[in-house]
C-alpha cells in the first residue's frame, strides 16, 4: 500500500496542471514515505522521519499558500500562468526545500543518515522527481538570478559539506545536493539537459546505494574490508564513484560536459568556471572513497574490525543494471 501510494503521489504531481492537484500529489508522496522511513523503530530513524516530516510539511504549506496567492491575484489555478513574482519566488523556495537545494539543504544529510540504505535510495532518487517536475514546469516564470544562485550554492555546498564526512550516507546526501545544483543551473536554458542530468544521477546513485547495501557498509572504514569479500564489485564501485564525480569516459561526465557547454553557449563563462571548480570539490571526496576501497588493500593492516561474511539476500540484477548504466552510457552523446 505504501509503495503504491508513493508511486501514485508522484504520478499525480506529474499529471497535474492545477496547483491543488500537484500539492495533493506531493502530500500523498510525503505521507507514504514516512512509515517506510520509520519502519525500523530505531531512534535515529524516528528522529530522521520527524525532521523529514517537518520540512516537507512546511514546504507543502508554502506551495499551497503561494498557489492560493497566485490564484487570488490572477484568478487561475493553472501552473503555466504563474505571473505573480512573489508567488513564483515562494513556490521555487518551497520546491527547493523539498528537494534539498542549498541554502535549504540542512535537513538532507541529517535525514539520510538516519535511514537504512534502501529507504535512503528511495529518498534521494524517487522523492526528487515530483518537486523537480514542478520546478521544470514553472521554470520560465522564475527570476533567472534566483535559479542561478540556487544552483551555484548547491554545487558549492554539496562539494564543501562532503569533504569532512566519514559517514557514507551523509557523503551521498551532499553528493545529491551538488547534483541537484547542476540540474537547476541549466534549467532555464536547456530543460532537456536537466532531465538528462537527473536520469544519469538516478543511475549512479542507485548503483552506489545498492553496492553499499550489498556490502552493508555505512562508514568509510568498513569500505576498506570489502575488497577481500567481493573483489569485482569493489572494482566496479570505484568506477561508479568516479562516474559520480564526473570523470570521462564514464556516464557521469556526460551531463557535466553538456551543461558546461550550454552555459558557455549562453555566454556565462564565470558561472561555468565556478561550476567546474565546484565539481572538483565533489571529486575529492569520491576519490577518498575510492582510495579507501581500492588502494588500501593488503599488505596494509585494516584500521577497522573485519565484518562477518554474510551472504547477501539482495537481488543482483538491479545492482548490475545500475552499475552498467552508470559506467557505459557516455557513447550515447
Amino acid at each position: 500500500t505504501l509503495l503504491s501510494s508513493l508511486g501514485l503521489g508522484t504520478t499525480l504531481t506529474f499529471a497535474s496542471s492545477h496547483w491543488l492537484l500537484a500539492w495533493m500529489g506531493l502530500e500523498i508522496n510525503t505521507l507514504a514515505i514516512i512509515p517506510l522511513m520509520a519502519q525500523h523503530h530505531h531512534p535515529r530513524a524516528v528522529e530522521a522521519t520527524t525532521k523529514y516530516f517537518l520540512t516537507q510539511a512546511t514546504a507543502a504549506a508554502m506551495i499551497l499558500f503561494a498557489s492560493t496567492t497566485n490564484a487570488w491575484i490572477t484568478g487561475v489555478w493553472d501552473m503555466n500562468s504563474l505571473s505573480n513574482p512573489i508567488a513564483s519566488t515562494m513556490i521555487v523556495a518551497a520546491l527547493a526545500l523539498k528537494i534539498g537545494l542549498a541554502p535549504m539543504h540542512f535537513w538532507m544529510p541529517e535525514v539520510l543518515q538516519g535511514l537504512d540504505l534502501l529507504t535512503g535510495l528511495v529518498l534521494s532518487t524517487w522523492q526528487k522527481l515530483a518537486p523537480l517536475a514542478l520546478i521544470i514546469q514553472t521554470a520560465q516564470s522564475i527570476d533567472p538570478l534566483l535559479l542561478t544562485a540556487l544552483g551555484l550554492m548547491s554545487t558549492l555546498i554539496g562539494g564543501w559539506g562532503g569533504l569532512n564526512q566519514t559517514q557514507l550516507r551523509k557523503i551521498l546526501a551532499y553528493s545529491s545536493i551538488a547534483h541537484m545544483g547542476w540540474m537547476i543551473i541549466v534549467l532555464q536554458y536547456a530543460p532537456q539537459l536537466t532531465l538528462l542530468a537527473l536520469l544519469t544521477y538516478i543511475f549512479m546513485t542507485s548503483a552506489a546505494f545498492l553496492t553499499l547495501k550489498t556490502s552493508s557498509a555505512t562508514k568509510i572504514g568498513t569500505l576498506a574490508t570489502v575488497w577481500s569479500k567481493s573483489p569485482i564489485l569493489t572494482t566496479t564501485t570505484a568506477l561508479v564513484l568516479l562516474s559520480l564525480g564526473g570523470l570521462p569516459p564514464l556516464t557521469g561526465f556526460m551531463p557535466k560536459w553538456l551543461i558546461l557547454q550550454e552555459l558557455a553557449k549562453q555566454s556565462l563563462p564565470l558561472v561555468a568556471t565556478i561550476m567546474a571548480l565546484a565539481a572538483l570539490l565533489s571529486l575529492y571526496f569520491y576519490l577518498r572513497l575510492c582510495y579507501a576501497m581500492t588502494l588500501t588493500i593488503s599488505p596494509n593492516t585494516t584500521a577497522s574490525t573485519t565484518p562477518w561474511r554474510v551472504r547477501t539476500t539482495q537481488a543482483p540484477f538491479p545492482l548490475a543494471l545500475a552499475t552498467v548504466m552508470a559506467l557505459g552510457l557516455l557513447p550515447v552523446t
Side-chain angles (χ1 to χ4, degrees), residues 43-301:
R44 279 302 308 241
V46 176
E47 182 192 344
T49 312
T50 313
K51 285 177 182 170
Y52 183 74
F53 171 72
L54 289 173
T55 52
Q56 300 298 308
T58 311
M62 271 176 76
I63 289 172
L64 196 56
F65 177 56
S67 51
T68 314
T69 310
N70 187 57
W72 181 49
I73 290 172
T74 60
V76 271
W77 281 94
D78 199 52
M79 267 185 207
N80 304 323
S81 57
L82 196 63
S83 53
N84 184 28
I86 302 175
S88 63
T89 307
M90 272 184 65
I91 279 193
V92 82
L95 292 169
L97 177 62
K98 267 204 175 295
I99 59 173
L101 282 169
M104 287 78 101
H105 67 283
F106 291 100
W107 60 273
M108 178 90 193
E110 302 288 325
V111 167
L112 207 58
Q113 180 56 32
L115 307 179
D116 69 311
L117 290 162
L118 285 180
T119 320
L121 172 63
V122 172
L123 178 69
S124 47
T125 55
W126 184 254
Q127 291 299 93
K128 306 281 192 220
L129 295 178
L132 257 171
L134 293 184
I135 293 181
I136 290 172
Q137 282 184 57
T138 56
Q140 297 314 318
S141 59
I142 302 165
D143 181 18
L145 186 65
L146 177 65
L147 278 186
T148 310
L150 280 174
L152 279 176
M153 272 193 78
S154 300
T155 40
L156 284 166
I157 285 177
W160 261 311
L163 290 182
N164 223 0
Q165 300 293 338
T166 54
Q167 301 286 341
L168 295 174
R169 283 166 295 188
K170 277 194 177 168
I171 287 184
L172 283 167
Y174 280 113
S175 130
S176 164
I177 294 167
H179 278 277
M180 289 293 140
W182 278 94
M183 285 170 219
I184 292 301
I185 198 92
V186 78
L187 180 54
Q188 280 183 330
Y189 311 114
Q192 66 274 21
L193 284 187
T194 301
L195 290 175
L196 176 79
L198 176 66
L199 198 65
T200 51
Y201 161 75
I202 286 176
F203 283 137
M204 297 183 299
T205 309
S206 309
F209 268 106
L210 291 170
T211 306
L212 297 182
K213 182 84 180 72
T214 308
S215 54
S216 58
T218 54
K219 289 196 210 47
I220 291 188
T222 41
L223 280 183
T225 57
V226 174
W227 64 273
S228 56
K229 200 153 94 180
S230 42
I232 296 173
L233 184 65
T234 310
T235 316
T236 54
T237 310
L239 290 172
V240 164
L241 287 166
L242 293 178
S243 181
L244 266 166
L247 291 187
L250 306 166
T251 309
F253 179 57
M254 171 168 60
K256 287 193 166 50
W257 171 30
L258 295 173
I259 286 171
L260 288 177
Q261 182 183 336
E262 181 63 36
L263 288 173
K265 210 186 289 178
Q266 300 286 348
S267 65
L268 295 165
L270 185 65
V271 176
T273 311
I274 298 174
M275 295 294 282
L277 291 175
L280 280 178
L281 289 170
S282 309
L283 182 63
Y284 176 76
F285 58 81
Y286 299 126
L287 279 174
R288 248 179 80 204
L289 294 184
C290 278
Y291 177 77
M293 278 198 84
T294 55
L295 298 173
T296 53
I297 52 179
S298 63
N300 293 357
T301 51

